[in-house]
Amino acid sequence: MGTFKAIRIDKAEKGTTAALTQFDEAELMAGDVTVRVEWSTLNYKDGLAVTGKAPVVRRFPMIAGIDFAGTVEQSSHPQWKAGDQVICNGWGMGETHLGAYAEKARVSGDWLVRLPEGMSARDAMAIGTAGYTAMLAVLALEQHGLTPANGPVVVTGAAGGVGSVAIAVLSKLGYHVIASTGRQSEAGYLRDLGAAEVIDRGELTGPAKPLARERWAGGIDSVGSTTLANLLSMTKYRGAIAACGLAAGMDLPSSVAPFILRGVCLLGIDSVMCPIELRKTAWSRLAGDLDSRKLAEITQEIDLSQVIEAGARILAGQVRGRIVVKIV
């Protein structure tokens, strides 16, 4: 047993504190697989945790970070052996279970997904929970029956992590993608990802009508609140919106009109406790449906010492695309 670098969150007199420090391996929680973490990433929830802006962390001390990619060091789980390359997302890591911003992690082998063939650990975390969530949303829309022939799809929070990956995947699948953003300076970036149109988020932030002009057959929303309400009111007959975020709030000031008059569906996307088989499908699809060139364009790299500062920037809406965190 020894120590390793980790971002540790502790309870303070007012809120929490976060610092890069040494963590004792003896303090790792129960699990049948120990992983040498090589890469992690920065998601909106990670920003909330390391800055203490919301009560994400539910036990102390906590190691922050909700997903990792790395190599198995020890395993008593029948599916995994030393040397296997694995991905882990969610399952309460960084909230109730010691997380990913560390050189080591101990988790249940049932939580792990094998790194897809041809995908590097770095690329997996360039995708991260944000990209994996975007893929879950795409799968939900496909299960609903949506195809490019049905009409345009809209993506909100388009310059963020979920939005960037969603645009890249949907455009590669042949959809006409409408990107909604509050940063018009990113219009060129969004078009490079595959957006056919870029609209200002102001078009979706006013009070929602029960029904508005039909504009899209489906969409992926990471914003919530009034934005989601407007999306629903503008969705075409029998269309669907996949909701996976709450950057603007948890409320939904909508009405039943889109559901009972147009047959619109609201598809809830949960990445944290998602069943393992659906996770495997999502990661397999990401290996084939996400252009590696576009992934490289949306990704920037930092190390553990820069995570806390980057967490504040992602909450302020100052991060474009995806951030990978080099652990070792």
Side-chain angles (χ1 to χ4, degrees):
M1 292 289 184
T3 62
F4 55 88
K5 287 191 301 183
I7 293 182
R8 173 176 171 142
I9 300 178
D10 286 287
K11 190 75 173 173
E13 187 175 332
K14 292 184 178 180
T16 62
T17 61
L20 179 60
T21 185
Q22 290 292 313
F23 200 91
D24 193 327
E25 189 172 349
E27 292 187 66
L28 285 174
M29 297 171 70
D32 50 13
V33 180
T34 302
V35 178
R36 182 177 73 253
V37 180
E38 295 158 4
W39 294 92
S40 187
T41 184
L42 182 72
N43 300 286
Y44 193 85
K45 185 182 285 186
D46 297 314
L48 292 173
V50 298
T51 61
K53 296 293 186 183
V56 170
V57 177
R58 299 179 209 167
R59 77 174 297 277
F60 299 94
M62 176 54 65
I63 295 175
I66 65 173
D67 47 6
F68 66 72
T71 302
V72 173
E73 285 191 338
Q74 295 178 325
S75 173
S76 58
H77 190 283
Q79 189 175 340
W80 306 107
K81 65 182 187 303
D84 286 342
Q85 291 187 292
V86 293
I87 301 167
C88 193
N89 303 88
W91 300 115
M93 286 197 306
E95 300 176 71
T96 58
H97 191 94
L98 296 176
Y101 291 153
E103 293 176 313
K104 284 185 186 289
R106 184 175 296 138
V107 298
S108 167
D110 292 339
W111 296 356
L112 299 172
V113 174
R114 194 173 301 278
L115 187 72
E117 184 103 17
M119 182 183 290
S120 70
R122 186 186 188 279
D123 283 349
M125 288 299 98
I127 295 167
T129 286
Y132 147 72
T133 301
M135 192 72 239
L136 290 177
V138 172
L139 292 172
L141 291 172
E142 289 179 344
Q143 186 175 19
H144 178 74
L146 192 71
T147 70
N150 296 125
V153 291
V154 63
V155 176
T156 65
V162 174
S164 294
V165 175
I167 291 168
V169 170
L170 288 167
S171 64
K172 186 174 181 181
L173 293 173
Y175 288 90
H176 179 102
V177 182
I178 302 171
S180 167
T181 181
R183 294 181 271 174
Q184 287 302 309
S185 59
E186 302 288 13
Y189 162 80
L190 296 172
R191 291 186 186 280
D192 287 344
L193 286 179
E197 301 177 50
V198 179
I199 64 173
D200 191 276
R201 70 180 177 196
E203 296 185 32
L204 303 172
T205 55
K209 297 177 180 178
L211 289 175
R213 178 174 61 88
E214 297 177 66
R215 297 179 64 178
W216 32 71
I220 297 176
D221 175 57
S222 61
V223 178
S225 191
T226 303
T227 295
L228 178 54
N230 275 290
L231 289 187
L232 292 166
S233 75
M234 299 175 186
T235 300
K236 293 183 177 183
Y237 183 72
R238 298 191 68 78
I241 300 294
C244 60
L246 44 65
M250 294 184 68
D251 61 318
L252 182 56
S254 185
S255 76
V256 298
F259 309 118
I260 66 173
L261 297 179
R262 286 185 183 159
V264 170
C265 285
L266 176 58
L267 310 174
I269 306 300
D270 164 54
S271 63
V272 177
M273 304 304 290
C274 178
I276 194 69
E277 291 305 318
L278 184 52
R279 291 169 182 265
K280 291 177 181 177
T281 299
W283 281 104
S284 175
R285 285 285 300 272
L286 283 161
D289 290 344
L290 181 58
D291 188 314
S292 59
R293 179 188 63 83
K294 290 183 179 179
L295 181 62
E297 288 175 358
I298 71 175
T299 304
Q300 54 187 295
E301 182 179 317
I302 63 174
D303 60 35
L304 269 178
S305 68
Q306 299 169 290
V307 164
I308 296 172
E309 180 274 332
R313 287 195 292 114
I314 199 170
L315 297 189
Q318 297 171 352
V319 170
R320 181 177 80 175
R322 302 288 296 125
I323 292 179
V324 291
V325 181
K326 184 174 176 60
I327 305 296
V328 294

